[in-house]
Amino acid sequence: LLYNYSTKWDINTSNELFRLVATMSKQEKRYFKLYTSFYSKEQGSSYMRLFDLIDKEKPASNDALLALVQDEPFATYLPWIKNQLTDLILSSLASYHTESKPDFELRKLLAHADILFDRGLYSHCRKMLARAEKKAEKMEQHLLLMEIFTRQRSLLLLKSISESLEADLEALYSKANRALQGILSTNNYRSLMDSTQVIVARYASLPNQNDMDKLQELIATPLLQDNTQATTFAAKIAFHNIRGIYALLINNDEEARSHYQKARDIWKGHPAMIEEHPGQYRRYCTNYLNCLVSGDDEKEFSAVVQEIKALPSAAPEATMNSL
């Protein structure tokens, strides 16, 4: 019965579970064990036993895992318990990082607001949404702001018609429109940045005039002539990244340095963004550092090196997401 579960699907989920456990820090593992203790003794012990086997033995394949658990009481329903363990690990990680990751905290505030709304505790719900709005504004989380405004609208429409209702709704939609403009600005500049990176990557492997013409045409886009239309953190970063990439490609080291320095300065003006996206900030610092190599500012070079060293290391499977 045990080996009847060894399907291709089961093998894939095993590999994913192995990698997930391997990425966990000691603190995350310790928290997971505390988190799992809230489950029933029988289920919790099965989850913990499987987790410990994967963590300590580090099986290289699904067959290796099957051999490890063949005498365990949960062996006959291994695929099910692996799925449950994966969900449990992800839930524990979400709980663990709630206080340190603004995105997690915002989602928690929205969940709390929904609970309060469903229970008819509208005054408390308004306070919770106000907290969420303040945090989302600080982090320029425009999509989350739209979710917050949708909930605030529902609260406003609970009121009986009053003299202030029309003005309150108008103010709410005004804020929503600003958030939409932020989303549009970010989207426009990200699109230009992605197009730039695709062209440059292709040009780097096989230089040709056609790609250079496309890149020069893209750089001539009005949005890239100045950054007045870059109204968000992400849009401003994308603007300087695009201009920096192009400057490096045409061997204008001074202009490249200027743009990457400005990008780094924008990051440093948003410490919460650095805390949330240290890997992305590291890449911009590295780009700036590369521009300093040919210069003579040793003090600045040393300062950037030390800053990069102080940043948290990227996760093993961190992707190259860019703001």
Side-chain angles (χ1 to χ4, degrees):
L1 178 61
L2 172 60
Y3 283 88
N4 287 339
Y5 283 105
S6 183
T7 63
K8 181 179 179 181
W9 174 83
D10 190 35
I11 291 172
N12 289 335
T13 57
S14 290
N15 293 335
E16 291 167 356
L17 177 57
F18 298 160
R19 289 194 291 267
L20 177 60
V21 173
T23 64
M24 295 174 70
S25 67
K26 290 182 180 179
Q27 294 80 5
E28 289 171 339
K29 290 174 183 177
R30 188 180 304 116
Y31 185 87
F32 168 74
K33 292 179 180 181
L34 291 172
Y35 188 89
T36 308
S37 68
F38 287 100
Y39 282 75
S40 67
K41 185 175 180 181
E42 182 179 353
Q43 281 187 314
S45 62
S46 296
Y47 296 138
M48 190 54 61
R49 177 61 179 158
L50 180 58
F51 178 84
D52 284 339
L53 284 170
I54 294 172
D55 185 33
K56 295 175 182 177
E57 301 298 334
K58 296 178 175 52
S61 66
N62 191 61
D63 287 341
L65 178 62
L66 288 168
L68 286 172
V69 305
Q70 58 183 343
D71 295 326
E72 298 289 341
F74 55 81
T76 55
Y77 54 95
L78 182 61
W80 179 86
I81 199 169
K82 282 192 301 184
N83 287 330
Q84 295 301 309
L85 176 59
T86 299
D87 288 343
L88 193 57
I89 291 173
L90 291 173
S91 294
S92 76
L93 290 173
S95 178
Y96 178 79
H97 289 288
T98 292
E99 300 303 324
S100 61
K101 294 286 188 181
D103 282 357
F104 282 109
E105 187 173 0
L106 278 169
R107 287 293 179 187
K108 182 181 73 172
L109 288 173
L110 288 179
H112 289 181
D114 288 341
I115 292 170
L116 292 168
F117 184 90
D118 291 341
R119 292 170 182 264
L121 303 174
Y122 303 129
S123 177
H124 194 172
C125 180
R126 289 187 185 92
K127 293 178 182 178
M128 195 67 63
L129 289 173
R131 285 176 56 193
E133 181 182 354
K134 185 176 180 180
K135 289 182 179 295
E137 285 279 5
K138 183 178 179 181
M139 292 298 300
E140 294 194 8
Q141 293 282 1
H142 298 106
L143 289 172
L144 282 174
L145 278 170
M146 294 303 297
E147 292 189 39
I148 293 167
F149 296 149
T150 298
R151 289 164 170 80
Q152 290 175 334
R153 172 185 173 274
S154 297
L155 286 170
L156 281 175
L157 294 177
L158 287 173
K159 294 182 178 180
S160 57
I161 301 299
S162 64
E163 292 183 1
S164 67
L165 180 58
E166 188 175 2
D168 290 341
L169 285 170
E170 185 178 347
L172 181 65
Y173 280 108
S174 178
K175 290 193 295 183
N177 286 333
R178 287 197 297 273
L180 286 171
Q181 289 169 3
I183 293 171
L184 183 60
S185 176
T186 298
N187 191 62
N188 286 338
Y189 278 95
R190 279 179 171 166
S191 175
L192 288 169
M193 184 169 66
D194 291 345
S195 296
T196 300
Q197 291 174 331
V198 169
I199 295 171
V200 169
R202 190 168 57 228
Y203 184 85
S205 61
L206 185 64
N208 65 85
Q209 189 57 44
N210 185 49
D211 278 334
M212 179 54 73
D213 291 342
K214 287 182 178 179
L215 186 58
Q216 290 174 338
E217 182 180 348
L218 186 148
I219 293 298
T221 301
L223 287 175
L224 295 177
Q225 295 309 296
D226 60 65
N227 65 349
T228 54
Q229 296 188 61
T231 59
T232 67
F233 169 85
K236 292 172 184 175
I237 289 293
F239 171 85
H240 289 295
N241 191 38
I242 295 168
R243 299 295 314 196
I245 290 173
Y246 180 69
L248 285 176
L249 195 64
I250 62 174
N251 298 316
N252 190 334
D253 294 341
E254 189 61 32
E255 183 178 346
R257 172 178 173 171
S258 174
H259 282 294
Y260 284 124
Q261 183 176 23
K262 289 175 181 177
R264 179 169 171 263
D265 289 343
I266 293 170
W267 274 98
K268 289 177 75 68
H270 294 76
M273 293 292 193
I274 296 177
E275 182 181 356
E276 180 73 2
H277 307 286
Q280 293 173 15
Y281 178 56
R282 176 193 295 273
R283 289 197 291 277
Y284 282 94
C285 286
T286 301
N287 289 337
Y288 179 47
L289 188 68
N290 290 334
C291 294
L292 292 172
V293 170
S294 59
D296 56 1
D297 195 339
E298 295 182 6
K299 184 177 180 180
E300 178 75 350
F301 185 90
S302 178
V304 177
V305 169
Q306 293 305 314
E307 185 172 9
I308 292 174
K309 287 182 177 180
L311 290 169
S313 299
E317 291 189 12
T319 57
M320 295 298 289
N321 292 332
S322 300
L323 280 171

